[in-house]
Amino acid sequence: MQMPFCPKLWDRSPVPPANAIAVNGTVVVANTFGLSAPGKSTTLRLFSGTQIDHETGKGKLSPEAPLRGGKKSKHGKTSTTTYHVTFLVDADFGTPGAVSVRNGNRADQFFLRHVRLELAEDRSIHFECNSWVYPYKKTASDRLFFINSSYLPSKTPEALVLLRDEELRSLRGDGKGERKDWERIYDYDRYNDLGNPDNPEHVRPVVGGTRTHPYPRRCRTGRAISNTDGVTETRKHMINLDFYIPPDERFSPGKLAEVLKLGVQAVTHFVIPEARTLIHGNDFKSMEQLRKDLYSRPVQPAVDGEVMEKLKSSVPSHKTYKQVAKAVKEEHPAKFPIPQVIQQDPEAWRSDEEFAREMLAGLNPVAIKRLQTFPPVSSGGKKSSITAEHIKSQLGDVTIEMAMHQKRLYILDHHDYLMPYLRRINTLGVCIYASRTLLFLKADGTLKPVVIELSLPSDGEGDTELSRVFLPASHGTEGHLWQLAKAHVSVNDSGYHQLISHWLFTHAAVEPFIIATRRQLSAMHPIHKLLEPHFKDTMQINTLARSILLNAGGILERTMYPGKYAVEMSSAIYGDWRFTEQSLPNDLLKRGVASSSNEPGGLTLHIEDYPYAVDGLEVWHAIDGWVRSYCAHFYHGDKEVDGDAELQAWWHDVRTVGHGDRQGDQACWLALDTVDHLAQTLSTLIWIASALHAAVNFGQYAYAGFPPNRPTRCRRFVPLPGSPEMTQLEADPEKFFLEMVPDRFTATLGLALIEVLSNHTSDEVYLGQRATSTWTDDGQLLRLLDRFREDLRRVEKRVEERNKDQRLKNRRGPAKVPYTLLFPDVAGQEKGLTGKGIPNSVSI
């Protein structure tokens, strides 16, 4: 690997220049549990940003300067230590443009927050670092940090040009070897770390890099490859937390401990001895028992010792384990909190209105589409079994033709992508249909479900189907069948939500952009600075997901209906993914729920009371306004975009490698040749990482925290007329329902998981915020950010006003859950299980 600096530059001579002047500074280091602080053996050097050493072609280099002192301090909520440093430089050294840091510790790394220099005439220079610095004995190179000014490549000060290029090249690596903890290398790999070819039950296809299994790329770890199949990475434990992530992508030690503490409950349920389930029974006997067991009794009297032993063998650091164990010991959760969907009315979830409202304001409000053809037609041209006779009586005075013309018929379609997998999925001990649900937009703005079609592949070969149609009913056997049909639809939607809307379209889709940004955009590049907060913690949470949730035998395979076909199915759906369709306006247009217009914002919503779309468009326009003003500040014409070598290399990396399996679809990407296309691209990426993720993640516990409302799999099909199962349903509908949806173990495990996922952690940085106010020295950018925050505050006010408007029935619905998932929370006050606030990044 190319080392960032030539050894000749690093003469450690302590002799200062004869005409030396002193430059004083402070160095702030975060105090990290269990790690040694930097000592006098840690030294710093300055590179001039204005004066060139003509022998090297780089900025003049100062002699090394050791750290002095070390006073306890506080920066925000972070405990820190502040050191002093004095550089002796030539009188003609010029203005510093970069600082290099050599960690002289024998073993421990430290987290460097920033370096600040005091110059003459009350001037100061700030280096925003926020990075781990590992011992020189491990890295054989020093860390380099640039001044917090932004430069396009063509406008980089000459003294910093070579340093900028060398630093970038050092981050790319050579694609070889197993990564070490201290290496800062960003490279791409396929998802070849989910299965275990040595266990026949855990063999999984590698996704990414083939036409049959396309997928976004992940960050390469370079772990050893299994000898069994020659492609799958080996893993040390089933629950594996000892993995490589570039140091700057890792959780802070405090957040890691917080996330692990939150996860201990989920892991506890994951390994509960089967004997406990056998003693208590694995089915809830009644809804009353379900509510009592989940929300009244202690979930666990104590954390299992077995769980803590598994955690101890899985975390990479004993220090981290001790911190988690201490936090777990101090907290004694008595029960799961009551989810919002049953807080006000424990029966409202059963209503058709609430069932439909959650498609507009629930945890998966991104799947509903306007019906374009009646009856619905599959991608292969086969018509649905739904007929006009099924629905015409439910439309009042409106004919089907009128309803279509007036844009009042909608569909939740979980049919085409599921049918090819159903035969295999239903061999896994589950009973799953493909479904189509048609809905009618009523005069009061609410949706009414008018028919559900449940389909199975026929017993023979080929693509023939067996379909059943269910109509709304509230009493008798027909009413019970309707409730079962709705539950099967919710199962489909739950799987799509978790695997596609949430994991694939946010978590997995963003990671290639992170890798490309680190590899191709210098830390001095203005677009790197714009995107930086939107990548916080994403790579680590994705790695945790691959290690605990998505892996063979992991939690998602054990709780979601696709089981071992989950990732394979998501790969098939990724084959039709287009980045250009991920912006909110384009997504709404594609789904037919909006049309282009001359109205402010350029769109007309066909469902006016669509909380996700209404709030989301306001957030989108705030993001887009911020991004466009930011881009215009640096790019004064299209030629500057087209001629930005780093930016074009970044876009090439994203399209041909990170999302390389989608490069053949020209409609997938914009050409990055104009300021407008750049702004559209960046606004879309920021939308995905912030608002879209918030909309599909932080409402999970509010709605799915009550398992009957959002079951994740079914154990029984809807009974056929005259069958013994129909007799059972008619004898005890509630018992049949509870025997159909997930059992106690599966439901409780899923509940524990979504409680973790729905939490806002204490170090969350929200949209419109920056971790520090010193991220840039450009006053105009700070003013633009202030304007962005003001725009978001106006969004907050309008969200609150809409939630109070009794005419907007979809804002709360029968369950009386206000829609706050796209309330930005610029003040950053929301922590825990709030269902409110838009973090900058996909951080949990």
Side-chain angles (χ1 to χ4, degrees):
M1 185 185 82
Q2 167 91 26
M3 300 309 298
F5 311 114
C6 174
K8 180 180 177 182
L9 296 179
W10 296 101
D11 176 11
R12 315 304 290 184
S13 170
V15 180
N19 58 345
I21 61 172
V23 178
N24 294 312
T26 53
V27 177
V28 176
V29 175
N31 297 330
T32 305
F33 180 83
L35 294 179
S36 302
K40 293 181 179 179
S41 58
T42 294
T43 58
L44 292 80
R45 305 183 89 175
L46 295 177
F47 278 99
S48 174
T50 56
Q51 298 297 316
I52 296 177
D53 181 333
H54 294 289
E55 288 188 16
T56 65
K58 303 171 185 177
K60 287 187 173 182
L61 184 64
S62 77
E64 65 181 348
L67 295 180
R68 305 194 319 273
K71 184 177 180 181
K72 298 294 183 184
S73 51
K74 197 90 171 176
H75 287 76
K77 298 179 180 178
T78 304
S79 172
T80 57
T81 300
T82 299
Y83 298 87
H84 294 280
V85 62
T86 298
F87 300 94
L88 299 176
V89 300
D90 288 328
D92 62 352
F93 182 81
T95 303
V99 60
S100 70
V101 183
R102 175 171 291 193
N103 179 352
N105 288 348
R106 294 180 61 84
D108 286 343
Q109 66 271 26
F110 59 83
F111 190 82
L112 179 61
R113 288 182 63 91
H114 69 253
V115 177
R116 189 174 186 84
L117 304 180
E118 303 301 330
L119 306 181
E121 301 174 354
D122 296 325
R123 291 177 57 218
S124 62
I125 289 180
H126 188 87
F127 299 90
E128 191 72 12
C129 305
N130 292 317
S131 182
W132 290 100
V133 180
Y134 276 79
Y136 182 82
K137 290 188 67 174
K138 293 181 177 180
T139 64
S141 65
D142 296 17
R143 281 300 313 278
L144 185 72
F145 300 96
F146 293 105
I147 191 173
N148 66 338
S149 299
S150 298
Y151 300 105
L152 295 177
S154 61
K155 297 180 180 179
T156 307
E158 188 178 357
L160 300 179
V161 169
L162 289 179
L163 291 173
R164 179 174 184 150
D165 180 62
E166 289 179 353
E167 173 72 0
L168 271 179
R169 281 190 282 134
S170 74
L171 293 171
R172 295 175 195 145
D174 58 10
K176 300 176 182 178
E178 185 172 356
R179 300 277 72 87
K180 308 300 182 188
D181 284 348
W182 54 84
E183 292 181 319
R184 297 169 61 240
I185 295 179
Y186 295 83
D187 203 355
Y188 299 97
D189 208 344
R190 301 174 296 166
Y191 278 67
N192 63 343
D193 59 343
L194 303 178
N196 178 6
D198 299 323
N199 180 347
E201 294 297 317
H202 288 170
V203 174
R204 300 291 182 270
V206 172
V207 293
T210 65
R211 288 187 177 182
T212 52
H213 294 121
Y215 221 61
R217 300 300 190 270
R218 64 175 180 91
C219 188
R220 180 180 179 274
T221 64
R223 281 201 305 245
I225 299 297
S226 167
N227 291 326
T228 302
D229 65 357
V231 293
T232 304
E233 280 194 357
T234 57
R235 55 175 64 240
K236 297 178 181 179
H237 312 283
M238 183 183 72
I239 300 173
N240 179 44
L241 304 180
D242 187 7
F243 37 63
Y244 171 78
I245 304 171
D248 293 347
E249 309 303 330
R250 297 174 193 161
F251 291 163
S252 66
K255 177 163 182 175
L256 178 59
E258 184 176 357
V259 170
L260 289 176
K261 181 194 72 175
L262 288 170
V264 162
Q265 182 170 331
V267 178
T268 298
H269 288 291
F270 191 65
V271 295
I272 290 175
E274 288 189 12
R276 291 193 183 176
T277 300
L278 293 173
I279 291 171
H280 299 291
N282 203 23
D283 281 321
F284 295 109
K285 305 304 181 187
S286 65
M287 289 291 181
E288 181 182 0
Q289 186 197 52
L290 181 148
R291 293 189 185 96
K292 187 175 181 180
D293 285 2
L294 293 181
Y295 313 117
S296 298
R297 296 177 182 172
V299 176
Q300 280 288 104
V303 174
D304 285 69
E306 183 181 354
V307 173
M308 296 310 293
E309 283 302 311
K310 284 182 178 287
L311 189 65
K312 188 175 184 179
S313 64
S314 300
V315 295
S317 165
H318 182 64
K319 299 161 186 172
T320 301
Y321 169 77
K322 288 177 66 177
Q323 192 173 6
V324 175
K326 180 175 181 291
V328 169
K329 188 175 181 180
E330 290 172 352
E331 293 206 7
H332 304 282
K335 58 184 179 179
F336 287 117
I338 298 174
Q340 285 179 285
V341 74
I342 59 168
Q343 280 182 7
Q344 300 297 318
D345 182 347
E347 297 299 321
W349 66 275
R350 296 181 187 268
S351 70
D352 288 358
E353 185 179 341
E354 180 63 24
F355 172 72
R357 185 194 76 92
E358 290 181 21
M359 300 178 198
L360 304 174
L363 57 81
N364 192 35
V366 296
I368 190 171
K369 302 174 184 177
R370 183 164 58 86
L371 187 65
Q372 305 283 357
T373 304
F374 184 87
V377 179
S378 69
S379 56
K382 184 175 181 178
K383 288 186 178 181
S384 162
S385 60
I386 298 171
T387 67
E389 292 298 318
H390 288 128
I391 68 170
K392 65 181 184 180
S393 64
Q394 302 183 62
L395 306 184
D397 298 335
V398 181
T399 66
I400 293 175
E401 292 74 18
M402 290 170 59
M404 295 285 287
H405 178 72
Q406 295 170 4
K407 300 178 175 59
R408 295 176 67 182
L409 279 177
Y410 293 83
I411 183 170
L412 185 68
D413 194 343
H414 293 298
H415 180 275
D416 286 7
Y417 72 87
L418 255 178
M419 285 304 297
Y421 288 91
L422 279 185
R423 282 194 178 95
R424 286 180 285 167
I425 288 173
N426 284 334
T427 65
L428 303 178
V430 294
C431 299
I432 306 299
Y433 297 98
S435 66
R436 292 184 176 110
T437 304
L438 267 55
L439 306 106
F440 176 63
L441 180 62
K442 296 164 57 180
D444 65 359
T446 63
L447 288 174
K448 173 187 177 183
V450 294
V451 65
I452 292 173
E453 177 190 57
L454 300 181
S455 301
L456 291 170
S458 65
D459 294 335
E461 297 296 324
D463 60 355
T464 55
E465 299 176 13
L466 302 173
S467 298
R468 297 177 65 188
V469 173
F470 299 87
L471 301 178
S474 56
H475 301 290
T477 300
E478 295 303 313
H480 304 325
L481 291 173
W482 176 245
Q483 289 296 331
L484 298 185
K486 289 196 296 181
H488 275 278
V489 171
S490 294
V491 167
N492 285 173
D493 200 56
S494 293
Y496 188 90
H497 160 260
Q498 197 66 274
L499 295 168
I500 309 303
S501 303
H502 183 204
W503 163 255
L504 178 62
F505 289 168
T506 64
H507 285 260
V510 167
E511 185 159 349
F513 287 92
I514 302 174
I515 301 169
T517 300
R518 307 305 191 209
R519 286 167 55 87
Q520 304 294 353
L521 296 180
S522 166
M524 285 192 289
H525 199 291
I527 303 306
H528 185 124
K529 288 186 180 291
L530 173 68
L531 294 177
E532 177 75 26
H534 303 291
F535 296 156
K536 178 180 181 289
D537 296 336
T538 300
M539 200 173 287
Q540 172 123 41
I541 202 67
N542 283 3
T543 309
L544 279 167
R546 296 197 311 272
S547 300
I548 299 174
L549 306 181
L550 294 163
N551 59 305
I555 295 177
L556 286 188
E557 286 197 357
R558 294 189 175 227
T559 58
M560 307 303 295
Y561 74 82
K564 66 181 183 179
Y565 301 108
V567 173
E568 182 182 343
M569 189 173 77
S570 73
S571 166
I573 292 171
Y574 175 70
D576 295 321
W577 178 88
R578 287 175 172 170
F579 181 75
T580 50
E581 295 173 349
Q582 305 309 303
S583 73
L584 180 59
N586 286 349
D587 170 60
L588 297 174
L589 290 171
K590 179 190 176 185
R591 292 191 283 121
V593 296
S595 297
S596 298
S597 72
N598 295 321
E599 294 184 10
L603 288 182
T604 297
L605 289 173
H606 303 313
I607 305 174
E608 293 182 8
D609 184 15
Y610 185 172
Y612 164 75
V614 173
D615 296 0
L617 283 171
E618 292 191 357
V619 173
W620 165 266
H621 290 307
I623 292 171
D624 194 52
W626 153 243
V627 169
R628 289 183 182 278
S629 62
Y630 187 99
C631 290
H633 184 67
F634 291 98
Y635 296 97
H636 303 123
D638 295 340
K639 289 184 178 179
E640 289 187 310
V641 172
D642 197 36
D644 185 334
E646 286 185 11
L647 187 69
Q648 296 303 324
W650 171 76
W651 196 226
H652 183 269
D653 240 31
V654 169
R655 291 182 298 111
T656 65
V657 188
H659 281 285
D661 295 342
R662 300 295 300 128
Q663 64 180 311
D665 183 352
Q666 296 303 311
C668 191
W669 310 101
L670 290 173
L672 214 58
D673 53 3
T674 67
V675 179
D676 178 62
H677 281 184
L678 174 62
Q680 287 186 55
T681 296
L682 297 174
S683 294
T684 299
L685 178 55
I686 292 171
W687 163 262
I688 294 170
S690 59
L692 177 59
H693 179 258
V696 298
N697 181 66
F698 293 105
Q700 291 191 73
Y701 193 82
Y703 293 100
F706 184 61
N709 186 52
R710 297 285 299 184
T712 58
R713 62 205 317 183
C714 278
R715 296 177 288 160
R716 305 183 77 166
F717 290 116
V718 179
L720 294 169
S723 67
E725 290 79 8
M726 182 66 81
T727 302
Q728 294 171 15
L729 172 66
E730 292 171 339
D732 193 336
E734 185 171 285
K735 183 174 184 289
F736 190 97
F737 182 93
L738 291 172
E739 289 177 351
M740 184 183 79
V741 297
D743 58 33
R744 179 194 299 269
F745 174 80
T746 304
T748 308
L749 173 58
L751 186 58
L753 170 64
I754 62 171
E755 184 185 16
V756 174
L757 296 179
S758 301
N759 262 276
H760 286 291
T761 55
S762 59
D763 70 342
E764 208 84 86
V765 182
Y766 290 87
L767 193 63
Q769 296 179 334
R770 290 278 172 152
T772 70
S773 60
T774 50
W775 63 279
T776 180
D777 62 0
D778 190 325
Q780 178 62 17
L781 289 185
L782 294 174
R783 287 188 287 275
L784 291 175
L785 183 62
D786 284 340
R787 190 170 74 187
F788 179 36
R789 278 195 286 262
E790 286 305 312
D791 288 343
L792 291 174
R793 289 190 182 98
R794 284 190 282 272
V795 174
E796 291 177 352
K797 184 177 180 181
R798 289 192 289 268
V799 168
E800 290 176 333
E801 289 172 351
R802 284 191 288 268
N803 282 342
K804 294 176 182 177
D805 191 337
Q806 298 298 317
R807 295 170 298 176
L808 302 177
K809 295 186 177 182
N810 296 326
R811 300 297 304 192
R812 291 178 175 269
K816 298 180 176 59
V817 181
Y819 191 73
T820 57
L821 291 170
L822 290 175
F823 180 93
D825 188 29
V826 179
Q829 297 176 342
E830 301 300 331
K831 309 298 178 189
L833 208 60
T834 65
K836 180 189 290 189
I838 303 175
N840 271 321
S841 62
V842 181
S843 57
I844 195 164

